[in-house]
């Protein structure tokens, strides 16, 4: 069949992204929930203040990281799965042509819930195990009474059950939607949007190719831009945590931010290269030098990635600024948030290095495949 | 001249290997027309891929005049294909997002050939040139693939079952066109087929059976595309 349990191994990226996002959300949501329980026990003036401040910090972090990580991860995963199903349109067509009922084929796509479930669950469990340490860090100066760790079933349901169900449902629905197309449409190569293009017969092949690459596979440049956006926002936000939160928290956030950022970028780079594998392989077979193909095809994604990175920078700045202005105005103890140039510079350098190096690695991997393998995949 | 010596090719992993080409040696004279005959699965496509530098053999050598292409680096091999080789694939392999004309230009531009329109006319695709591959019949796609190879003006043209998907009329037309190209341009042609009749058009016929060359025979008289049986 099209997707089995075995295929989910390839979807490890999904698991990692889900795990990180859920980990962060669990930590802070649990903390806030447990904090609310002891609200009445706090009597001291300083305790009250700390309580307010910590509640605000928790909300800020959940709002920024949870919001940013969660929402972007969600979009990214949806996109990845959509792309996966699109690529396998031909196989869907074959199964449909053979006479498998739509429902049965689409049902198989519910396996996408599995990597999401595993990711969310491990994120939740990891967070739960980390909670004692985390509470200790949060209450280092013992300004608050001992905070008991509570298990919140609702939280578990919200962060593990809901995403799993959501992704299962969406995958099945999307596959089902695709399967509504006539068999022949599924079997033939994707038409996408090329019909709207003007006739470009009179320009040289390479020039045409450069223009077509971005326009005919519209979802790929979007994916690229989005992952650059995430990378930029996540790394910079993580580095900025140093200004806002304690050392330990900053280290944790930077770790998670980087893992997420790298995973998303890898997901999109591999998707982009796979999406253009046919063209590159065919050009190589005809005798186009590798550089020509890479420049015309993969080179088009570079400016897109740059735009995504710039937008991500702006986004994380505005988000942090906004959240902090809204939540922190009452506490003059908390410093104002400034745009961090070092964070920007470091993120940019890491991004450039990582982008180019992974491109080279993927291109190498691609070149080892024979034309037949690429064309019949 | 192409001279292949002791070509061996195996597929599979360490535990289970299948030898697809079993010590194949052959020479192909310049400007000749060679047909390789063999049953399905006998290794014809594999041999063609290796001879044309699309794939590397496990061992053995392939010499084009003075160059042994098995010693070329990947980029040198690409350059070599650019300069010398035209290939018509059994499964066409057209780029789905490009029109017929653009697919043909893909070959033409590589050789800096401005007369690709001529090639399009010659394969009879004047009216189809703005269509995309999924709007073309199998035979039309095959002709685009042939035109893409020819537009490169190659010295060596490899054709893998070029008429496999065509009906008699179009098949004969294409064969006649290929033979004409062979006459006029002095290109060395190697054609793979399982159709015995096409062999009568060739200078040399090589018969393959499970990875080995069984016989190699020269035709005294050649037939035209319209004289052979179908
Ligand atoms: N990449 C591969 N991995 C493993 N086995 C392969 C691979 N490619 C080809 N084979 C095997 O090699 C043998 C020869 O294949 P090849 O494509 O050369 O046959 P052919 O003579 O061209 O057949 P046909 O006339 O059907 O096209 C077949 O038995 C096939 O199963
Ligand atoms: Mg074959």
């Amino acid at each position: 069949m099209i997707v089995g349990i075995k295929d989910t191994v390839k979807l490890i990226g999904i698991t990692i992204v889900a795990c990180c996002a859920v980990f962060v959300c669990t930590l802070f949501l649990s903390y806030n929930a447990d904090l609310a329980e002891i609200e009445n026990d706090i009597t001291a003036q300083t305790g009250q203040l700390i309580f307010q401040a910590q509640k605000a910090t928790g909300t800020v972090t959940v709002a920024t990281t949870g919001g940013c990580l969660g929402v972007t991860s969600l979009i990214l995963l949806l996109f990845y799965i959509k792309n996966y199903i699109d690529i396998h349109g031909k196989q869907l067509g074959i199964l449909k042509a053979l006479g498998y009922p739509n429902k049965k084929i689409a049902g198989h796509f519910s396996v996408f819930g599995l990597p999401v479930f595993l990711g969310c669950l491990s994120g939740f469990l990891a967070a739960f195990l980390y909670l004692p340490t985390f509470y200790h860090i949060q209450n280092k100066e013992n300004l608050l009474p001992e905070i008991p760790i509570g298990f919140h079933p609702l939280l578990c349901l919200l962060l593990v059950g809901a995403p799993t169900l959501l992704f299962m449902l969406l995958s099945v629905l999307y596959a089902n939607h695709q399967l509504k197309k006539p068999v022949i449409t599924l079997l033939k190569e994707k038409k996408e949007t090329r019909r709207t293009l003007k006739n470009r017969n009179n320009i040289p092949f390479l020039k045409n190719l450069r223009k077509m690459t971005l326009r005919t596979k519209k979802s790929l440049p979007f994916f690229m831009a989005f992952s650059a956006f995430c990378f930029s926002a996540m790394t910079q936000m993580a580095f900025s945590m140093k200004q806002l939160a304690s050392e330990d928290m900053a280290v944790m956030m930077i770790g998670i931010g980087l893992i997420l950022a790298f995973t998303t970028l890898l997901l999109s780079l591999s998707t982009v290269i796979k999406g253009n594998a046919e063209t590159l392989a065919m050009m190589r077979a005809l005798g186009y030098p590798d550089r020509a193909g890479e420049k015309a095809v993969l080179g088009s994604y570079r400016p897109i990635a740059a735009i995504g990175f710039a937008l991500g920078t702006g986004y994380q700045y505005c988000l942090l600024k906004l959240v902090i202005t809204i939540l922190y105005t009452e506490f003059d103890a908390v410093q104002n948030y400034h745009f961090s140039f070092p964070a920007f510079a470091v993120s940019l350098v890491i991004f450039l290095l990582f982008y180019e190096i992974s491109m080279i690695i993927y291109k190498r991997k691609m070149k080892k495949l024979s034309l037949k393998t690429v064309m019949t995949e | 001249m192409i001279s292949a010596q002791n070509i061996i090719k195996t597929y599979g992993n360490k535990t289970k290997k299948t030898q697809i080409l079993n010590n194949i040696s052959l020479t192909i004279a310049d400007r000749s027309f060679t047909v390789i005959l063999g049953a399905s699965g006998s290794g014809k496509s594999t041999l063609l891929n290796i001879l044309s530098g699309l794939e590397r053999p496990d061992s053995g050598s392939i010499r084009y005049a003075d160059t042994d292409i098995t010693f070329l680096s990947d980029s040198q091999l690409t350059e070599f294909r650019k300069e010398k080789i035209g290939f018509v694939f059994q499964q066409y392999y057209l780029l789905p997002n490009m029109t017929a004309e653009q697919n043909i230009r893909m070959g033409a531009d590589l050789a800096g050939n401005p007369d690709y329109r001529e090639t399009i006319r010659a394969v009879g695709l004047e009216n189809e040139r703005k269509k995309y591959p999924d709007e073309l019949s199998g035979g039309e796609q095959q002709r685009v693939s042939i035109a893409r190879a020819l537009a490169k003006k190659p010295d060596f043209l490899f054709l893998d079952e070029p008429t496999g998907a065509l009906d008699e009329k179009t098949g004969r037309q294409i064969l006649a066109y290929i033979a004409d190209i062979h006459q006029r341009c002095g290109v060395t042609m190697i054609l793979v087929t399982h159709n015995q009749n096409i062999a009568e058009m060739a200078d040399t016929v090589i018969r393959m059976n499970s990875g080995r060359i069984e016989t190699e025979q020269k035709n005294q008289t050649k037939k035209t595309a319209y004289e052979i049986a179908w």
Side-chain angles (χ1 to χ4, degrees):
Chain A
M1 273 311 247
I2 328 153
V3 270
I5 306 285
K6 222 173 69 196
D7 288 295
T8 50
V9 177
K10 285 184 220 149
L11 306 171
I12 184 87
I14 294 184
T15 310
I16 296 176
V17 172
C19 175
C20 292
V22 168
F23 180 78
V24 176
C25 292
T26 309
L27 280 189
F28 287 97
L29 288 177
S30 283
Y31 185 70
N32 271 19
D34 288 335
L35 205 58
E37 305 256 309
I38 56 156
E39 186 169 5
N40 296 330
D41 303 343
I42 305 169
T43 41
Q45 183 83 40
T46 44
Q48 283 285 349
L49 263 181
I50 293 286
F51 172 75
Q52 294 296 341
Q54 289 223 334
K55 214 170 139 192
T57 319
T59 321
V60 171
T61 324
V62 170
T64 50
T65 53
C68 176
L69 300 188
V71 172
T72 48
S73 308
L74 193 80
I75 296 177
L76 200 87
L77 296 188
L78 283 178
F79 191 80
Y80 189 71
I81 291 171
K82 173 191 174 306
N83 199 62
Y84 190 92
I85 296 177
D86 285 346
I87 289 175
H88 291 73
K90 228 174 178 164
Q91 294 181 32
L92 289 178
I94 295 169
L95 288 172
K96 197 177 165 184
L98 285 176
Y100 282 89
N102 283 3
K103 283 208 181 71
K104 196 169 169 193
I105 308 174
H108 275 262
F109 282 90
S110 56
V111 280
F112 276 113
L114 190 68
V116 176
F117 175 72
L118 290 178
C120 291
L121 188 69
S122 53
F124 190 80
L125 288 179
F128 210 71
L129 290 177
Y130 185 68
L131 276 182
T133 326
F134 181 68
Y135 281 19
H136 182 70
I137 294 169
Q138 287 287 74
N139 197 9
K140 232 179 201 160
E141 281 133 48
N142 282 321
L143 293 172
L144 294 174
E146 181 86 4
I147 307 166
I149 295 174
F151 175 78
H152 307 277
L154 189 67
L155 212 55
C156 182
L157 213 63
L158 204 72
L159 292 175
V160 183
T164 308
L165 275 178
L166 179 75
F167 278 100
M168 262 170 77
L169 205 69
L170 286 176
S171 310
V172 172
L173 284 180
Y174 185 67
N176 199 48
H177 169 75
Q178 289 294 84
L179 280 165
K180 288 224 177 84
K181 292 178 185 166
V183 177
I184 290 301
T185 318
L186 288 170
L187 282 175
K188 285 192 172 178
E189 296 288 350
K190 287 226 76 179
K191 289 191 179 167
E192 295 211 38
T193 49
R194 71 187 179 205
R195 288 294 174 273
T196 56
L197 296 178
K198 283 207 202 81
N199 175 28
R200 297 185 177 278
N201 280 322
N202 292 323
I203 51 175
F205 171 74
L206 280 178
K207 207 170 159 192
N208 189 39
L209 181 66
R210 209 164 357 210
K211 294 204 167 131
M212 301 285 280
T213 303
L214 294 184
R215 294 194 198 178
T216 50
K217 297 183 171 159
K218 275 205 177 105
S219 47
L220 291 183
F222 171 77
F223 197 14
M224 186 74 243
F226 190 72
S227 75
F229 174 90
C230 293
F231 188 98
S232 155
M234 285 169 190
T235 47
Q236 291 186 61
M237 209 178 270
F239 289 135
S240 301
M241 279 296 151
K242 250 190 160 144
Q243 282 185 41
L244 302 173
S246 63
E247 190 89 357
D248 307 85
M249 193 114 92
V251 168
M252 191 183 84
M253 291 308 302
I254 289 176
I256 289 171
L258 285 180
I259 294 176
L260 263 183
F262 284 126
T263 318
T264 51
L265 196 57
L266 269 182
L267 278 184
S268 84
L269 279 174
S270 65
T271 314
V272 160
I273 295 218
K274 270 186 213 137
N276 290 294
E278 271 184 9
T279 312
L280 291 173
M282 196 57 230
M283 287 177 76
R284 187 147 20 89
L286 279 193
Y288 278 92
D290 288 342
R291 247 177 306 119
E294 284 155 17
K295 208 174 132 204
V297 179
L298 301 178
S300 338
Y301 293 98
R302 211 170 271 129
I304 304 284
I307 294 172
F309 191 89
L311 287 177
T313 306
Y315 166 77
Q316 63 91 25
Y317 175 72
C318 293
L319 186 68
L320 282 183
K321 190 88 186 166
L322 187 75
V323 170
I324 285 162
T325 326
I326 291 172
L327 284 162
Y328 277 169
T329 33
E330 305 147 43
F331 312 104
D332 16 293
V334 179
Q335 66 280 59
N336 218 343
Y337 172 67
H338 296 292
F339 182 74
S340 162
F341 272 105
F344 172 74
V346 171
S347 297
L348 186 63
V349 170
I350 297 178
F351 180 74
L352 288 178
L353 277 179
F354 190 70
Y355 183 94
E356 299 300 337
I357 291 173
S358 4
M359 270 285 188
I360 291 172
I361 293 172
Y362 273 118
K363 281 188 283 197
R364 284 253 173 87
K365 241 170 94 179
M366 271 276 314
K367 270 179 213 162
K368 292 213 180 91
L369 301 175
S370 74
L371 182 67
K372 194 172 155 192
T373 315
V374 175
M375 299 301 278
T376 47
E377 207 158 53
Chain B
M1 192 178 72
I2 311 173
S3 151
Q5 293 296 322
N6 310 103
I7 305 284
I8 290 176
K9 180 78 184 175
T10 48
Y11 281 127
N13 46 28
K14 284 192 185 87
T15 49
K16 191 173 180 294
K17 274 191 180 170
T18 2
Q19 194 148 17
I20 305 299
L21 296 181
N22 213 327
N23 212 21
I24 287 202
S25 302
L26 53 79
T27 54
I28 288 162
D30 278 341
R31 292 162 194 274
S32 66
F33 180 7
T34 305
V35 163
I36 300 176
L37 273 178
S40 181
S42 55
K44 306 181 297 293
S45 296
T46 310
L47 178 62
L48 215 58
N49 290 347
I50 288 177
L51 287 178
S52 60
L54 281 172
E55 222 175 315
R56 288 178 189 277
D58 294 346
S59 66
S61 73
I62 299 134
R63 301 179 66 86
Y64 279 77
D66 307 323
T67 2
D68 188 335
I69 61 166
T70 47
F71 287 125
L72 298 182
S73 71
D74 276 350
S75 59
Q76 285 170 323
L77 200 57
T78 309
E79 176 73 18
F80 165 81
R81 285 199 301 271
K82 174 182 167 184
E83 298 294 330
K84 306 273 189 207
I85 306 292
F87 204 109
V88 177
F89 298 94
Q90 194 169 2
Q91 298 86 352
Y92 325 135
Y93 293 158
L94 303 177
L95 294 185
N97 288 317
M98 299 261 174
T99 61
E101 178 162 359
Q102 276 296 336
N103 265 287
I104 295 167
R105 267 202 94 151
M106 186 179 180
D109 285 4
L110 200 54
N113 170 12
D115 308 325
Y116 64 93
R117 282 275 166 86
E118 195 58 44
T119 321
I120 295 177
R121 214 165 297 134
V123 292
L125 286 173
E126 259 296 270
N127 299 324
E128 265 67 44
R129 64 188 174 92
K130 287 184 184 165
K131 288 190 178 172
Y132 289 91
D134 64 350
E135 298 165 338
L136 295 169
S137 74
E140 285 161 352
Q141 289 182 51
Q142 180 65 288
R143 281 184 277 161
V144 174
S145 141
I146 291 174
R148 179 178 62 187
L150 285 173
K152 268 180 76 186
K153 296 196 181 301
D155 295 340
F156 300 88
L157 182 59
F158 293 85
L159 303 120
D160 197 348
E161 295 278 9
T163 55
L166 306 183
D167 65 2
E168 177 170 348
K169 183 162 166 272
T170 338
R172 283 188 199 274
Q173 265 172 18
I174 289 290
L175 284 178
Y177 177 64
I178 291 171
D180 182 50
I181 292 284
H182 177 240
Q183 295 263 301
R184 279 192 296 126
C185 310
V187 54
T188 308
M189 245 163 43
I190 301 98
L191 185 152
V192 156
T193 180
H194 57 254
N195 183 342
Q196 307 257 354
N197 298 315
I198 297 178
E200 293 177 38
M201 294 174 64
D203 300 307
T204 313
V205 183
I206 293 172
R207 280 170 206 275
M208 281 186 72
N209 191 4
S210 41
R212 292 174 202 277
I213 293 182
E214 263 188 355
T215 59
E216 184 173 338
Q217 146 215 342
K218 299 245 183 293
N219 280 337
Q220 298 308 322
T221 52
K222 292 200 286 179
K223 290 188 176 171
T224 70
Y226 295 102
E227 289 165 354
I228 59 171
W230 196 263

